[in-house]
Amino acid sequence: MSDDPSLSVPTSASDLFRLLTPASDSGPFRMPIEDVVTINRRVVIIGRVERGEVHGGDIIELSGDGQSITARVVRVEFLCWRGDGEPSASVGDNVGLRLARVRAEQIRVGWIANAQSAVEIS
């Protein structure tokens, strides 16, 4: 058996929570896109926030396969509504982002959603 603590099995709920929670939420918004759906003619991208926060009204950049497009977040959707005011998503949240200015055919699973200012143009 190894003495490496990173290989140990969680023994409590707090150990499990620490294991599942990302180490840092600093930095600009970043979310890998796990699914793209259309609901009532609106495009919704689904994923887990890896870094930063996103709010309704934010402009984000969707990029992958050497392409990038800009979209506005109309609303942050949660599978389980927390009911604590204006919805926003932060690190670890599994969310759907309802978008404007984009069509579902323009986006692919595996692309990354970033805060617009976080994307470097090369």
Side-chain angles (χ1 to χ4, degrees):
M1 184 144 190
S2 173
D3 290 333
D4 183 354
S6 67
L7 299 176
S8 65
V9 176
T11 57
S12 69
S14 62
D15 289 343
L16 183 59
F17 181 75
R18 248 189 324 268
L19 179 67
L20 297 176
T21 303
S24 172
D25 63 352
S26 63
F29 168 71
R30 182 179 198 279
M31 182 184 86
I33 299 172
E34 297 173 5
D35 203 359
V36 181
V37 297
T38 302
I39 301 172
N40 295 331
R41 294 183 291 182
R42 288 281 192 177
V43 175
V44 177
I45 58 172
I46 299 168
R48 183 172 188 245
V49 178
E50 287 186 347
R51 184 177 64 208
E53 292 185 342
V54 65
H55 307 269
D58 287 355
I59 303 297
I60 60 172
E61 187 99 19
L62 308 169
S63 57
D65 301 329
Q67 304 173 46
S68 81
I69 56 175
T70 303
R72 183 173 59 84
V73 176
V74 174
R75 184 171 172 87
V76 177
E77 307 277 350
F78 287 90
L79 181 61
C80 180
W81 175 246
R82 295 182 295 194
D84 57 357
E86 184 63 30
S88 66
S90 58
V91 174
D93 288 338
N94 291 303
V95 296
L97 303 179
R98 190 180 333 163
L99 304 177
R101 304 182 189 166
V102 67
R103 292 184 321 274
E105 305 83 44
Q106 296 176 282
I107 309 167
R108 301 280 179 264
V109 170
W111 281 23
I112 304 294
N114 288 292
Q116 188 176 24
S117 61
V119 177
E120 296 179 16
I121 307 292
S122 54

